[in-house]
Amino acid sequence: MSLNIENRINQLREELRTHNYNYYVLDNATISDFEFDTKLKELEKLENENPQFFDANSPTQRVGGEVTKNFKTVTHKNRMYSLANSYSLEDLKDWETRIRKLVDDENIEYSCELKYDGASINLVYEKRILVRAETRGDGFQGDDVTTNVKTIKSIPLILKSDFVPNFEIRGEIILPLKGFNKMNAEKMEAGEDPYSNPRNTASGSLKMQDSAEVAKRPLDCLLYQIVADKLPFNTHFEALKEAKKAGFKVPNTIQVCKSIDEVFKFINSWEEKRHNLPYETDGIVIKVNSLQQQDELGFTAKTPRWAIAYKFKAEQVSTILNEITYQVGRTGAITPVANLKPVQLAGTIIKRASLHNADQIAKFDIRVGDTVYVEKGGEIIPKIVGVDLTKRPINSVPTVYITYCPDCNTELVRTEGDAKHYCPNFYGCPTQITGRIQHFISRKAMNIDGLGAETVELLFKEGLINNYADLYELEASQIIPLERMAEKSAENIILGIKASKKVPFEKVLFALGIRFVGETVAKKLAKHFKSIENLSKASFDELINVDEIGDRIAESVLEFFRNLVNIQLVERLKFYGVQLEIKESDLENTSNKLENKVFVVSGVFENFSRNELKKSIEDNGGKVSSSISKKTDYIIAGDKMGPSKKQKAENLDIPLIDEITYSKMIE
Ligand code: AMP
Ligand code: ZN
C-alpha cells in the first residue's frame, strides 16, 4: 500500500512539474487550470496524510507559507559584478577598441541580450537541486531569499537534466507588465496608492516576510549568466542554451553577432520594438561570447571587461518645480533637492529630483514655479536638465541659495574648488552625527546586524549615543524602554555591536568616515600602515608615497588625526576591543615581496585559477595589469597564452615566467 502511495506521489509531482514548466517557462499550457488544481489538491492530501514522503522541492511547496523575519546575510561564492554602461554607438566602438587590445584573437563574437529590468538574483544549484537564492546586495554579500524565490513557478526546484554538477545561475526577477497592472488595479480598487513601478515592486517582493504573499505575485525570472569553477562549454550562448534545456527560462531574444556592426543593428532593431515586450527593458547587454576570451579580459574593480550595457535614450518629461529643499549629508555636504509636481516618467512616478549644487541651479536659473525638464538616465535619481522659460510665471523670483545649515543653523562654507557648500559644524550638526554613525554600522563598514538607520536616529534623539564610540557602551536595558523596541531586538543590537569588534582593521578604517577614504583607499592604507597608531603618525610625504594615495586623501587623513575629538574616539574604540591593527592571521600568505612590480597574467594555469593568481600577486604587494606595456615587469604565462601577446612581450623584452617560478618568488 505504502509503495503505491509513494508511487502516486512521485507520479503527481512529476506531472505537475512538467505542467508547471510548460505553462510558466514555455508559455504553453498543456492542461486546464481546473485539472491542475485537482491534481495539486490530490498531491497535497497525500503528502499531508503521509508526512514521511515530505519533499521540500515538491510542487506543493510553491505556495509558500514560511515566514522570514530577518533575512540571513550570505557571502556570494562568486562576486556579483555590475555592468559598465554606454549611451551611444561611439561608446560601444570605444569598448570594442579596448577589448581588441586585450584579446589575442581577430575574431570576437558578441552575445546580445535585452537588459531585463528587475532585481538581480543568484540561484545556487547543487546536484540538480536549487539550494539557495541570494539577492545581489553589495555584490559581495546579499540576502538569502530562498523561501520567497521558491514560490516563483518558472524557477526549477529540480533540474530536468544534469547540466553542470554545481553552479550558480544569475538572472533577473521581474514583474511582467500585465501582472503589474493587475496588481495595481486591485490596489486602487481597494482605495490604496498604486505601486510606482515593476522593478521596485519585484525587488520589494523578494524581501517580503510572508512567502505565501510572494507566491500570490505574478513574478517571473529570466536567466542570463552561469558561473561555475569550470564550465563544459566554449561560449556563453552555448551555456545559456544548455541551461534552457535544463529547465531555466532563457528568453529567445538573445542573438549572437559576429561584429560590432551587427551589434548596432541588433540595438536599433529593439529601439522601438522594446515597447511591445511583455516586460520592461532599459537597454541591451553585450557580452563577449567566447568563455576563453572572457577569461582573458577579466574584471575591473566593479565590472567585467567582457560585457557592457547599452542604455536606451533617457526619457524626458516636463513638470512644475514646487519647492527647493536642502539635504545635509554625513560629511556636511549640502544637496539641493527639487520637489516636483508628481509626474510619470519611464514607468515611475517622480516627485523629487537632485539639483546637485548651487552652480547647477545658477546655470539653468532654476526657480520655484518654473516648468522644468526632468530626465532619467542610467542613475536612479532623476535630474533636471533645463527650464521651459516660455512658461515662467511673471512674478517669479531668482533662487537664493541658503547660507545657513537647514539642520543646525550654522553658517555654510564653500571652499575653493568644491562644488558643494558644507556645514562646518561637524561635531554638532545632528544629521552629520547620525550620518556618521549610520555609515559606521553599514554593511561594508562594521556591518552591525540588527541596528538600522532609523534606530540610530532614535538612539541619538534619546541621548543614548552621540558618536560611534558610544555604541560600545550601550546596554540592552537602555534600549528596551524605547518606542517599538522589543527585548529580543534590543539584545540583537547589543550582540551585533559586540560582534563588530571582530571586524578587520581595513573595514574599521573605512567605518571611521574619514573624508575621501573609501573602501579601496582604506584597504590600501590598512595594508601599508598596518595599524591606526602608524597611520596617525604618518607624514604627508609618507602618505602620498602609498600607491594611489594623492594629496587630497593625504590632507584629509592628516586633518582627521589633527582633531582631538577623533583621537579620543579612536582611543575609546581601542579600549572597547575594536580591531585597530592588522591581526597576524590576516597577514598569512601576504608579504611585500612583489612591491612595485607590475604583472600581466595570461593563459590558463594548473595550480591557480586566474583570480587566485591575481589575488596572490596583490597580497604580496604586486600590481596586476591587464595589458602588456613598458611598465610591465613580468608576464606569468600559462597554457594557451596567445601568440600576439607573446610577440609583444618579446618586442618589449619583458620576461615570461611560469607559475612555478612565480610561486618561488613569493616563498
Ligand atoms: P546595473 O545595475 O545598471 O549596474 O546593471 C547591471 C545589472 O543588470 C545586473 O546586475 C543584472 O541584474 C542586470 N541585467 C539585466 N539583464 C541582464 C543581462 N542580460 N545580462 C547581464 N545583466 C543583466
Ligand atoms: Zn549643520
Side-chain angles (χ1 to χ4, degrees), residues 405 408 423 429 432:
C405 175
C408 69
C423 164
C429 185
Q432 294 188 57

Side-chain angles (χ1 to χ4, degrees), residues 72 121 123 180 196 204 239 266 283 501 534-535 552 557 595 604:
K72 211 171 71 204
I121 195 80
L123 306 173
F180 174 73
S196 71
F266 181 85
K501 295 181 187 175
N534 295 341
L535 179 65
R552 204 174 60 141
V557 171
E595 203 160 354
V604 186

Side-chain angles (χ1 to χ4, degrees), residues 328 332 334 405-410 412 423-426 428-432:
V328 190
I334 307 288
C405 175
D407 216 22
C408 69
N409 221 18
T410 305
L412 300 179
C423 164
N425 186 12
F426 219 66
C429 185
T431 320
Q432 294 188 57

Side-chain angles (χ1 to χ4, degrees), residues 81-83 85 113-117 119-120 136 171-172 224-225 285 287 311:
Y81 286 85
S82 68
L83 287 171
N85 283 322
E113 299 155 30
L114 297 177
K115 189 164 188 293
Y116 321 114
D117 203 7
S120 9
R136 175 162 109 181
E172 202 81 358
Y224 57 70
Q225 196 81 42
V285 183
K287 298 172 185 166
K311 293 274 177 93

Side-chain angles (χ1 to χ4, degrees), residues 454-455 458-459 461-462 464 478-487 489-490 493:
E454 279 167 32
T455 315
L458 185 64
L459 294 171
K461 219 174 66 199
E462 298 290 333
L464 292 174
Q478 294 174 296
I479 307 177
I480 295 166
L482 302 184
E483 221 180 304
R484 282 182 292 133
M485 228 4 121
E487 201 163 311
S489 35
I493 292 176

Side-chain angles (χ1 to χ4, degrees), residues 253-267:
T253 42
I254 304 175
Q255 187 181 312
V256 174
C257 293
K258 298 222 178 289
S259 70
I260 211 79
D261 285 331
E262 267 184 47
V263 172
F264 292 169
K265 281 199 196 114
F266 181 85
I267 291 175

